Amino acid sequence: MRIEPAAAIVGHVAVPGDKSISHRAVLLGALGEGETRVRGFGRSADTEATVRAMRALGVDIDDVADDELLIAGVGLRGLQATGGPVDCANAGTLIRLLAGILAGQDGRFELTGDESLRARPMERIAEPLRRMGARVETADGHAPVVVEGSTALHGIEYALPVASAQVKSAVLLAGLNATGATTVVEPAPTRDHTELMLEAAGVRVRRRPASVTIEPPAALRLGEVDVPGDFSSAAPLLAAAALVPGSDVTVHGLGLNPRRTGLLDVLERMGARVAVFNRRRSAGEAVGDVQVEHAQLVATEIRADEVPLLVDELPLVALLGCQAHGETVVRGAAELRVKESDRIEAVTDGLQASGARIHSREDGWTVTGVPTRLRGGRVDARGDHRIAMLGAVAGLASREGVEVEGAGTVAVSFPGFYDLLDSLVRR
Ligand code: S3P
């Protein structure tokens, strides 16, 4: 797909429901007592994989509307092995959180996924789940992951070797069916949607600055979940507004969990004009409307402890750096090498091929910015939705446009991305 330069990005939009929260609502709704209604469900290839996986494990899920589900909970130990492998497609969140849930179910379960998912590290969840008493096998550290659940799991205190919300969540979800408390200690704060939703479902959750503890509940009761707009889906629109002169974009009803919105702090530091309106709370999550206006950008540095707060937005930070006066440096982001693609190399290659002065580091990038539009060129998405979106934003902000190779992969998280973007573009 060819993305032509934009004269400006202007308007008001809303984005689909948060992917992290949508996955969790389906998983926890399935383990609940009675019905859970999910409103604002962010339907995408990833979250559809979660719906299909839970159906395969015996859960009744009614597609009430494109953005609404009704889930008939089977209770904390009610999932059933179907015999065949459960296909987690491209979804890292699904395979890791589900492995945690299955660790406490009676049965043998096999979890697999597409080529990208089968290349991602799985020992990081297998290891703590074994410590809790489950039998977990990986194929040389990768999927397929075979979980032989145990009805005699015990709670542990686990210090995460990497800052990962998926690993934290896998351990906490296994803790739902364990005896005694389960504690996860984090090297840096990561997104806390699991903790917030468990609390909303009636679980005793104790939170300290560097750790979280849950007590196994008798039952989960979610009732209703209103999913806010996905900050990571809004991020490309906000970055485009910051980059293209004359732009002014407002995204309404956006999830503003402070462990997700690191990009807003970075945009402000870089000199973009950022405003947040209508701050409110919904089911424990912060929500609001965000406006970003273009301004001449200046370079910034991203430190390791900041990385989890904008982990999925770091490719966009590299692009912002291309147009920011000075040298932008991203450090402590080696985790990007094990996302849906090696995002450090995918970003470096794509932006270099579009005229940028960017170099990879082992754990991030160094970008020398020039305060003019990028030339443009070609970005290969490498099967990674966030890289395809990066290519699209680079195209809008460029002089000559960008050819995005594998553009369709945006459907993994945001099927309507190009249409929504197009509705904001002035040529
Ligand atoms: C996610 C956690 C992050 C993030 C991913 C979604 C989640 O992954 O990159 O897109 O929903 O918990 P890690 O936990 O591996 O950092």
Side-chain angles (χ1 to χ4, degrees), residues 63-125:
D63 287 306
V64 179
D66 189 58
D67 66 347
E68 188 173 329
L69 301 177
L70 192 60
I71 305 165
V74 296
L76 276 167
R77 288 186 199 273
L79 297 178
Q80 283 162 18
T82 46
V86 178
D87 183 7
C88 298
N90 194 241
T93 301
L94 171 57
I95 195 169
R96 294 191 175 119
L97 272 59
L98 186 53
I101 288 172
L102 295 175
Q105 308 286 317
D106 197 12
R108 183 180 182 280
F109 307 87
E110 181 176 336
L111 304 178
T112 189
D114 69 10
E115 199 182 326
S116 150
L117 193 69
R118 281 186 276 114
R120 300 180 65 186
M122 294 298 150
E123 271 303 311
R124 51 177 62 188
I125 48 142

Side-chain angles (χ1 to χ4, degrees), residues 20 24 93 96 124 163-166 191 311-312 335 339:
S20 287
R24 287 160 170 81
T93 301
R96 294 191 175 119
R124 51 177 62 188
S164 163
Q166 292 178 356
R191 66 189 68 191
V311 63
D312 293 335
E335 272 295 297
K339 295 292 180 188

Side-chain angles (χ1 to χ4, degrees), residues 12-16 233 237 414 416-425:
H12 291 253
V13 287
V15 293
S233 296
L237 315 177
F414 190 175
F417 172 71
Y418 297 108
D419 288 341
L420 192 71
L421 195 58
D422 221 41
S423 73
L424 293 171
V425 171

Side-chain angles (χ1 to χ4, degrees), residues 18-21 23-24 46 92-94 96-97 120 124 162-169 190-194 232 260 308 310-313 335-336 338-340 343 385-386:
D18 187 88
K19 178 157 80 77
S20 287
I21 298 176
H23 281 303
R24 287 160 170 81
D46 256 23
T93 301
L94 171 57
R96 294 191 175 119
L97 272 59
R120 300 180 65 186
R124 51 177 62 188
V162 286
S164 163
Q166 292 178 356
V167 181
K168 170 177 66 175
S169 299
T190 67
R191 66 189 68 191
D192 57 359
H193 305 302
T194 301
S232 296
R260 291 289 298 282
L310 75 168
V311 63
D312 293 335
E313 287 66 65
E335 272 295 297
L336 293 183
V338 291
K339 295 292 180 188
E340 287 84 327
R343 287 185 178 160
H385 55 130
R386 305 263 176 238

